[in-house]
Amino acid sequence: MSRERVEELTKLLNQYNKEYYVLDKPSVSDKEYDRLMQELIELESQFPELKSVTSPTVRIGGAVLEGFNKVEHEKPMLSLANAFNESDLRDFDSRVRKVSPQVTYVCELKIDGLAVTLHYRDGHFVQGATRGDGVVGEDISENLKTIQTIPLQIPYTNPLEVRGEVYMSKATLEKLNKQRAEKGEELFANPRNAAAGSLRQLDSKIAAKRELAMFCYSVPSAFELNCSTHEQSLQKIEELGFNVNSNREVCQSIDEVLAYIEKWSTARFDLPYEIDGIVIKVNQLEEQEKLGSTVKSPRWAIAYKFPAEEVETILKDIIFTVGRTGMVTPNAVLEPVRVAGTRVSRATLHNEDYVKERDIRIFDRVVIRKAGEIIPEVVKPVVDSRNGEEVPFQMIEECPRCGSHLVREVGEADHYCLNIDCPARIVESLCHFVSRDAMNIEGLGVKVVEQLYVNQLISNVADIYKLKKEQLLPLERMGEKKVSNLLTAIESSKQNSLEKLLFGLGIRHVGSKTAKVLAAHFETIEALMNATFEDFKVISEIGDVIANSILHYFSQEANLHLIQELKELQLNMTYTGIKSSSTEMNEFFGKTVVLTGTLTTLSRKEAGEQLEALGAKVSGSVSAKTDYLVAGEKSGSKLKKAQELGITILDEETMLKMMGR
Ligand code: IVH
């Protein structure tokens, strides 16, 4: 009896919830809803065995965690390349049509929030995670369960992954910031920060109070839903109960895309939530597959960004900073002003030409904005506000830190300090080496690095590993505890996987993603150091520019010496991620493989990772480009499609044999 009532209440509450939050068509009063919810809460406390993990009562929150577990995404959560104007969009269209002349596009609002992914098994929500670095995110399931627009149960029993944006409405953000101001707490700069801050709460009751919502915008394995277009996949998940933004449009041409953008450039101010642009996606899933992705973003989609908010303030001074490459940048010191949610007192002026072309002067009233929503820049002076006291800009000729003569190469816009012993360059390189995506040594911030450098304890990255307790203790602000934590952090960084070190070395054009690709491919630093130009050719993510830069780096005596020294200091120089038995030519090397059905000795994810380690490209859908389909038990539509296309089909045993297991 109680069991039936619990089931009945669950069904009703889920239905009312969807009507209220997703369909915007409530069919019962709030009072009635609260009454049923209360009844369910009471029944569940009386009969705990009847409480399901996806019961509507979990929306209230309650679970308090100690921290968030890491989860590796089955498919990376990529970000999007940006377009800022019509010409960027037309270029995108030309690139797409070169490969896929017949495509249509889906235009969607770019919601300002936080990307998350949701997993369903047997019709139940089982896990949700943040994007994290795109490869590994954090398990925030408990907080996501409190979001009313996320269905906890769906009428679809196969495994399903759905991705989208968690956001906070304008009204909720305003209310929250007002409360925070009253309590003297820092305000959230934008809905994105507010959503992220709320999802990072360990106490799900707090997250529940933040009134977050979610729009779903992608199904990573849409082929499995028997869809051939992105739009169909959105309609399908909408039917399953997910909240999909209805302001999307299928466009036949780039001109229609431009008209959509034009419309939303003004209409956006009437929306109850913030958007920061428009996302344009190729509609045909097969064409998406054909276009593929770079390490960072798919080639079949682009984000048009609305122009950033601009505000005026006074430029009080111009100072110069030196980066780790020796690049010298002029920076504006500003009368502090709030822009796009935060207080700004410095802004970049990029380089000499930038300032001169705009005739930006000290004491000018200037327009500033945040480029890419993060880095403040000076846009232009307000010439009409001048009173004659403004001082024209003068580029410096000597390095502000070491005094060496600055060099500006012909055809280049930037000035460089070429002194490799310049203290500013050294400190910046050291800071890069210890930064989060590199060796991630906690306790070594800019101030401490500068302090250690000035005290002549470190002058290159190897010196970090030679630091002794006795050297650190006499320094200012260095207590026993701090020193011991720092030395422990340094010691444990020695175990980092190869990609961290590779990124930390600061090889030109080798960002953290590229470092990971290189580490996974070559596995050891020796293999990478011995690689020839041809060896890089087979790695799809590595272009000629990166290859040449790596070859150049390892041709320099000083760099080889540094690697040797780090090796002697016992730094790990191998990739400790998923290993391949060998990266030599094997039958999967360079091949596109699709996995389907249930495997018995390992999960699809594990198989995929091992295949990738052998140099295969693992894809989620079968197309003419597929070389092998690995079919486990209960293979469905993919197997059928592969058979139709005449693709080689492997069973699990054959796959393992070919892998050399
Ligand atoms: S599609 C591979 N669609 O914008 C495609 N993204 O850098 C993944 N976003 O990380 C994204 N609204 O957080 C897509 N309608 C939309 C979106 C959207 C907001 C965010 C998302 C993503 C970022 C793009």
Side-chain angles (χ1 to χ4, degrees), residues 77-82 108-116 131 164-165 192 217-218 276 279 281 297-298 300-301 303:
M77 289 183 78
L78 300 175
S79 59
L80 295 172
N82 290 329
E108 294 168 22
L109 304 182
K110 186 169 185 300
I111 314 296
D112 188 2
L114 199 76
V116 307
R131 175 171 178 270
E165 199 84 353
R192 188 198 138 75
Y217 54 60
S218 87
D276 56 355
V279 182
K281 302 173 182 174
S297 50
W300 46 263

Side-chain angles (χ1 to χ4, degrees), residues 439-452:
M439 296 303 272
N440 191 19
I441 305 180
E442 222 169 295
L444 271 186
V446 192
K447 285 209 177 104
V448 179
V449 170
E450 180 77 39
Q451 183 187 26
L452 298 180

Side-chain angles (χ1 to χ4, degrees), residues 609-630:
E609 285 167 352
Q610 295 184 13
L611 286 166
E612 273 173 354
L614 288 168
K617 179 173 174 275
V618 178
S619 163
S621 53
V622 175
S623 75
K625 282 197 339 197
T626 311
D627 294 298
Y628 297 117
L629 177 86
V630 178

Side-chain angles (χ1 to χ4, degrees), residues 176-337:
L176 180 64
N177 268 346
K178 205 168 144 228
Q179 287 166 2
R180 291 175 78 87
E182 277 161 14
K183 284 194 232 153
E185 291 171 353
E186 207 182 315
L187 305 190
F188 284 117
N190 48 48
R192 188 198 138 75
N193 290 1
S198 306
L199 289 175
R200 222 177 280 125
Q201 296 291 333
L202 291 167
D203 179 351
S204 58
K205 268 214 174 72
I206 301 181
K209 290 203 185 90
R210 295 285 172 87
E211 298 171 23
L212 297 170
M214 179 170 181
F215 281 123
C216 293
Y217 54 60
S218 87
V219 185
S221 305
F223 278 110
E224 283 171 15
L225 290 176
N226 288 325
C227 296
S228 60
T229 65
H230 174 63
E231 173 59 24
Q232 281 171 8
S233 72
L234 295 181
Q235 281 170 15
K236 179 83 195 176
I237 57 170
E238 217 165 12
E239 282 164 23
L240 294 179
F242 292 91
N243 194 31
V244 180
N245 194 289
S246 58
N247 297 313
R248 61 185 191 274
E249 260 171 50
V250 176
C251 294
Q252 304 299 320
S253 66
I254 198 71
D255 288 311
E256 283 186 31
V257 169
L258 291 166
Y260 178 93
I261 291 176
E262 178 79 34
K263 174 171 122 194
W264 285 104
S265 296
T266 44
R268 69 175 166 133
F269 298 108
D270 301 325
L271 289 167
Y273 44 85
E274 294 268 1
I275 62 170
D276 56 355
I278 301 294
V279 182
I280 300 112
K281 302 173 182 174
V282 164
N283 194 18
Q284 290 73 15
L285 300 178
E286 259 188 43
E287 303 305 317
Q288 289 188 357
E289 188 79 12
K290 242 194 244 167
L291 284 151
S293 305
T294 68
V295 251
K296 291 200 197 107
S297 50
R299 294 196 189 87
W300 46 263
I302 199 159
Y304 168 79
K305 294 295 215 48
F306 291 128
E309 180 199 350
E310 298 190 337
V311 300
E312 289 182 14
T313 186
I314 304 294
L315 190 159
K316 298 195 294 189
D317 196 5
I318 295 179
I319 57 166
F320 297 85
T321 50
V322 188
R324 74 186 150 93
T325 58
M327 192 163 97
V328 176
T329 310
N331 295 281
V333 180
L334 306 167
E335 185 63 44
V337 63

